[in-house]
Amino acid sequence: MCDRERGWSEVPLIKTWQLIAGSAVAGLALSVTAVTASGPWDSGQRKAERDRVASWSLTGGADHGEGPGAGTFPQAAPSAPGVLGAIGPGAPQQEAAAAPEDLAAALRPLLADPALGSVRTASVVDTATGRVLYESGAREAMTPASTIKIATAAAALAALGPEHRIRTAVVPGAVPGQVLLVGGGDPSLTAKKKSPAGSGGSLVALAADTAQALKAAGTDSVSLGYDDSLYTGPVRHPIGDNPNIAPVTALTADEGRPDDSTSGPVERSGDPSGDAARAFAALLTERGVKVTGEPVRAKAPAGAQPMAATLSTPLAGLVERMLTHSDNDIAEALARQTALASGLPASFEGGEKAVTDRLAALGVDVSGSRFADGSGLGRADKVTSGLLTGLLAKAADPQRPELRPVLTGLPVAGFTGTLRARNAGSSPAAGLLRAKTGTLTGVNSLAGTVVDRSGRLLAFAFLSANSADGPAAEKGLDKLAAAVAAAP
């Protein structure tokens, strides 16, 4: 059940909440004056907004040459050109420079590349008008791999909004002298003293607040339980034990990673809920509260009020992190949060129905689609290239600002995340293209946005299957995306 159903309220007396709120204000001030990132999660700052702030400053984002003041400012860091200029009141209103016939002439031979496999589909639309500029098999459902995260992100943002935060709390247990660590499904929760991922849920801060509350009540010894019952169904993804994803539980710290990594495959904990509880017990002990025995799984009493709580990175930041780094753990958490917001079980099945319903409510065609998971790790997932471009166009709609993180979270070609080394250097798409990659054995996909030569924002999606050479298929997709950017 969600926080509201538990009867919890976000009360200002909780110091962790105050710390997060203060950090958000301080982070905004810092971004305006210095425009600095604070870790790989960007502290939830939307990249487009940070880039816009950089454009107001004389010291960021560009080489200012030999003009007045040259040499008095730090050398500018390299940065990608703005890619959202085609959204909003300042967007150019003329037709897209790329006429459909010209775009078709550029894309057809590239789409025929045998490296893409035996099946390939494509869709390109003008986000401002919804005009279809090119399509081929755009309504044919295919396995999308990680490009399905675009759908997961749109559904979660539609259900919860970009400012939603996920709560992890400590409540009194049903047994005298017991406290319970209650998981809310926060994928940003960390047990590290210095978060490797910027702001987010912190077991360290939660332990400090809990210890203070216990000592104020005259208690310096407790037993510890943990409640991860918010999620239901199998915790293992249908693909089984895999270094790309931890068991999906409502209580996981640092994504079940045993090292300091924040993304990429690594062997995960087999018991992330228990590990999080044991880490919390150690943090309480460090703060002068004795924890007797081992933490045990227990159910929080109905109506239990939190003695302390910590909140996740805002949903916008979680979405951006998920898309930039193709984070499977966040994706599955967001599918379950969407289910909870829809009154459905927080399971793979509940997430599938909730995501489908939310996307249909946005007005996109979900015919033939299946969202069997949130991450795209499973081959049972099916989407069309038309669905993906439809969602990207929705995210660009000025009337849908809550969906904007779907665009700002996409990796930038040649600069960030999973596109750092793709369409880089002299490619016509470098810095102008944002896209989500998708890769499974024999499956390759790419979906995102690109600014055309007239400044219009175009959405594209290319899905392919049965390729024999993954890297060659990726190069073929990159050529397609670059052709959209360079089309006359």
Side-chain angles (χ1 to χ4, degrees):
M1 75 186 95
C2 66
D3 293 348
R4 191 168 299 157
E5 289 169 331
R6 290 186 186 276
W8 297 347
S9 59
E10 294 183 8
V11 290
L13 56 86
I14 298 172
K15 292 197 304 179
T16 307
W17 181 92
Q18 291 175 320
L19 176 61
I20 292 170
S23 297
V25 174
L28 177 61
L30 180 62
S31 69
V32 171
T33 57
V35 202
T36 59
S38 58
W41 286 53
D42 292 335
S43 294
Q45 296 173 23
R46 295 174 178 84
K47 296 179 181 66
E49 293 173 354
R50 192 173 64 249
D51 291 344
R52 177 164 292 181
V53 172
S55 73
W56 299 339
S57 168
L58 294 177
T59 60
D63 183 355
H64 298 285
E66 302 300 325
T72 63
F73 298 118
Q75 183 176 359
S79 55
V83 297
L84 295 182
I87 297 177
Q93 297 304 310
Q94 73 273 19
E95 287 297 313
E101 58 272 20
D102 294 334
L103 193 58
L107 294 181
R108 279 175 186 150
L110 296 175
L111 201 61
D113 183 354
L116 291 174
S118 60
V119 185
R120 68 291 301 268
T121 71
S123 174
V124 182
V125 302
D126 182 337
T127 64
T129 64
R131 180 188 182 198
V132 175
L133 301 178
Y134 178 79
E135 62 179 18
S136 176
R139 282 165 288 281
E140 181 178 348
M142 297 178 61
T143 299
S146 278
T147 53
I148 203 172
K149 290 183 174 78
I150 292 171
T152 304
L157 289 164
L160 295 160
E163 302 305 323
H164 178 76
R165 292 176 185 254
I166 304 165
R167 186 195 306 248
T168 305
V170 174
V171 304
V175 178
Q178 183 187 56
V179 295
L180 298 181
L181 177 64
V182 184
D186 174 11
S188 70
L189 187 66
T190 180
K192 299 185 187 303
K193 290 180 173 60
K194 183 176 180 181
S195 173
S199 62
S202 170
L203 285 180
V204 177
L206 184 60
D209 290 350
T210 302
Q212 181 174 340
L214 289 170
K215 291 176 182 178
T219 302
D220 60 6
S221 178
V222 295
S223 62
L224 178 64
Y226 60 96
D227 184 350
D228 61 354
S229 62
L230 186 63
Y231 289 177
T232 60
V235 300
R236 286 286 184 188
H237 191 283
I239 63 173
D241 188 3
N242 190 286
N244 287 294
I245 189 169
V248 186
T249 77
L251 180 63
T252 301
D254 300 299
E255 298 186 338
R257 295 174 179 273
D259 55 18
D260 290 329
S261 65
T262 58
S263 64
V266 65
E267 194 66 35
R268 310 301 183 85
S269 165
D271 179 22
S273 295
D275 285 351
R278 285 183 283 273
F280 187 68
L283 291 167
L284 284 178
T285 301
E286 289 177 9
R287 283 149 185 80
V289 175
K290 181 180 179 181
V291 178
T292 60
E294 281 289 305
V296 295
R297 183 175 274 108
K299 180 75 174 175
Q305 293 298 308
M307 51 202 302
T310 185
L311 303 178
S312 73
T313 300
L315 189 67
L318 294 176
V319 164
E320 289 190 331
R321 167 69 184 180
M322 173 186 70
L323 294 172
T324 298
H325 296 284
S326 200
D327 192 301
N328 300 307
D329 301 277
I330 296 177
E332 298 303 342
L334 294 189
R336 280 157 179 73
Q337 295 298 318
T338 304
L340 290 169
S342 305
L344 295 168
S347 61
F348 283 104
E349 293 77 10
E352 178 177 355
K353 177 168 174 46
V355 169
T356 303
D357 291 348
R358 291 288 175 176
L359 298 185
L362 285 174
V364 295
D365 184 4
V366 296
S367 301
S369 298
R370 185 183 177 193
F371 307 96
D373 64 20
S375 61
L377 286 172
R379 293 177 181 271
D381 296 317
K382 301 293 178 185
V383 305
T384 66
S385 54
L387 168 72
L388 293 174
T389 54
L391 288 174
L392 292 164
K394 290 287 182 183
D397 186 345
Q399 302 304 311
R400 292 279 186 182
E402 74 278 8
L403 300 182
R404 201 73 76 245
V406 173
L407 302 187
T408 60
L410 294 172
V412 181
F415 284 85
T416 62
T418 55
L419 283 187
R420 181 182 293 274
R422 294 176 61 173
N423 265 318
S426 61
S427 166
L432 293 177
L433 178 148
R434 289 179 182 256
K436 182 70 200 75
T437 58
T439 307
L440 294 171
T441 302
V443 173
N444 297 92
S445 56
L446 191 67
T449 63
V450 66
V451 179
D452 76 359
R453 290 185 174 184
S454 71
R456 296 297 286 255
L457 189 72
L458 309 184
F460 66 86
F462 302 111
L463 305 178
S464 71
N466 305 323
S467 60
D469 183 337
E474 288 182 356
K475 289 180 180 179
L477 293 173
D478 290 345
K479 290 177 182 178
L480 284 162
V484 177

